[in-house]
């Protein structure tokens, strides 16, 4: 079946440092990868959508300078949270799908704690 | 803009009881609607989805949801819950013409008493 793995499962970083998280698709081609963040007491917000061979599309309030994303092939994507601060804490979820008419398969998320 | 409201942050029911988790959406066109479940320490799993056709859609583990356009609702139901249904349930919507973006509600934490 289609699975998405995210690692690390949880991580702690010091305020002002950076943290990279990874997303691995297994059993299908991840043509599109969507990165979401769930801040405490909030819902999942879309950060950006990455489609292989296309420009990465960032949502309002999220920028490439803060959340650079790499999507080098059809099974892997990574996102870095640069210069993390308290407001960046939360659960970062990766969803991948093979095409525009397919449903997303989501990973378990990377929980980021900033101290 | 699309949005999803799940008015109940937490619902507690006894095992064997019926369940309804409420979801209302805001979207001017015809939406794609989803219910996802998140078990502890796991990712989001798709329970069911509505694209078109029969407004009552069946999902896994006995769950169903009904799309009521006049009410902008997509409530999730189950006739008899099991303790293993305890999890967080997310309602979500995406636009048919811009389907890359899935908008999630805040989630409803379901606690089933054994």
């Amino acid at each position: 079946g289609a699975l998405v793995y995210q690692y690390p499962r949880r991580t702690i970083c010091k305020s002002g440092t950076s943290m990279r998280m990874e997303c691995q698709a297994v059993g299908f081609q991840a043509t599109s990868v969507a990165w979401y963040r769930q801040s405490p007491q909030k819902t999942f917000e879309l950060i950006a959508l990455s489609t292989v061979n296309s420009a990465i599309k960032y949502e309002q309030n999220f920028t490439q300078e803060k959340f650079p994303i790499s999507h080098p092939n059809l099974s892997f994507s990574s996102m870095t949270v640069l210069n993390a601060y308290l407001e960046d804490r939360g659960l970062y979820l990766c969803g991948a799908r093979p095409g525009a008419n397919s449903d997303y398969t989501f990973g378990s998320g990377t929980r980021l704690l900033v101290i | 803009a699309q949005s999803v409201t799940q008015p109940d942050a937490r619902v507690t029911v006894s095992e064997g009881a019926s369940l309804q988790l409420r979801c209302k959406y805001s979207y001017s066109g015809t939406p794609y609607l989803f219910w996802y479940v998140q078990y502890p320490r796991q990712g989001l799993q798709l329970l069911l989805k509505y694209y078109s056709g029969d407004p009552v859609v069946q999902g896994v583990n006995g769950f169903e949801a009904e799309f009521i356009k006049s009410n902008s609702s997509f409530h999730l139901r189950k006739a008899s819950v099991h303790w293993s249904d305890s999890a967080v349930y997310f309602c979500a919507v995406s636009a048919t013409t811009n389907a890359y973006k899935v908008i999630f509600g805040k989630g409803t934490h379901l606690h089933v008493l054994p």
Side-chain angles (χ1 to χ4, degrees):
Chain A
L3 293 170
V4 171
Y5 294 103
Q6 287 188 253
Y7 33 90
R9 294 289 295 270
R10 70 177 57 226
T11 185
I12 301 172
C13 69
K14 282 188 171 181
S15 181
T17 64
S18 300
M19 190 276 153
R20 180 171 176 264
M21 54 193 74
E22 300 181 346
C23 175
Q24 180 89 37
V26 176
F28 69 104
Q29 294 187 327
T31 304
S32 295
V33 174
W35 285 92
Y36 286 82
R37 178 175 72 187
Q38 184 186 37
S39 301
Q41 310 305 319
K42 291 188 176 180
T43 189
F44 292 99
E45 295 178 275
L46 180 64
I47 296 171
L49 175 78
S50 173
T51 302
V52 171
N53 298 325
S54 295
I56 298 172
K57 191 181 303 186
Y58 285 84
E59 293 294 294
Q60 195 173 14
N61 301 325
F62 297 97
T63 65
Q64 182 181 4
E65 290 70 31
K66 174 71 175 177
F67 300 97
I69 290 170
S70 171
H71 189 181
N73 56 54
L74 291 172
S75 63
F76 181 81
S77 177
S78 67
M79 184 178 74
T80 302
V81 181
L82 292 175
N83 202 17
Y85 286 100
L86 193 63
E87 59 265 27
D88 294 318
R89 63 194 170 125
L91 180 69
Y92 287 82
L93 201 67
C94 163
R97 62 182 188 178
N101 293 323
S102 307
D103 296 324
Y104 282 103
T105 298
F106 289 95
S108 301
T110 292
R111 189 165 296 281
L112 174 63
L113 180 63
V114 181
I115 58 172
Chain B
Q2 305 151 60
S3 67
V4 177
T5 301
Q6 292 180 250
D8 306 308
R10 186 172 290 268
V11 170
T12 300
V13 297
S14 297
E15 192 170 32
S18 62
L19 171 73
Q20 176 171 279
L21 300 183
R22 296 183 292 167
C23 171
K24 297 201 76 171
Y25 68 90
S26 174
Y27 177 60
S28 56
T30 302
Y32 287 172
L33 295 161
F34 308 85
W35 274 98
Y36 288 90
V37 60
Q38 185 179 34
Y39 296 104
R41 295 174 297 283
Q42 295 187 28
L44 289 179
Q45 298 175 30
L46 181 65
L47 265 183
L48 49 79
K49 62 187 178 186
Y50 170 80
Y51 284 173
S52 64
D54 189 340
V56 179
V57 289
Q58 305 296 321
V60 297
N61 297 334
F63 285 95
E64 68 173 30
E66 183 174 7
F67 168 57
I68 302 179
K69 188 173 182 178
S70 60
N71 197 34
S72 298
S73 68
F74 191 57
H75 302 331
L76 182 71
R77 302 189 295 240
K78 187 170 183 177
S80 175
V81 295
H82 188 263
W83 65 265
S84 60
D85 293 324
S86 296
V88 183
Y89 292 79
F90 292 92
C91 182
V93 64
S94 73
T96 53
T97 56
N98 194 20
Y100 80 91
K101 186 171 181 175
V102 179
I103 307 295
F104 291 91
K106 288 191 175 183
T108 297
H109 195 149
L110 174 65
H111 182 49
V112 179
L113 300 172

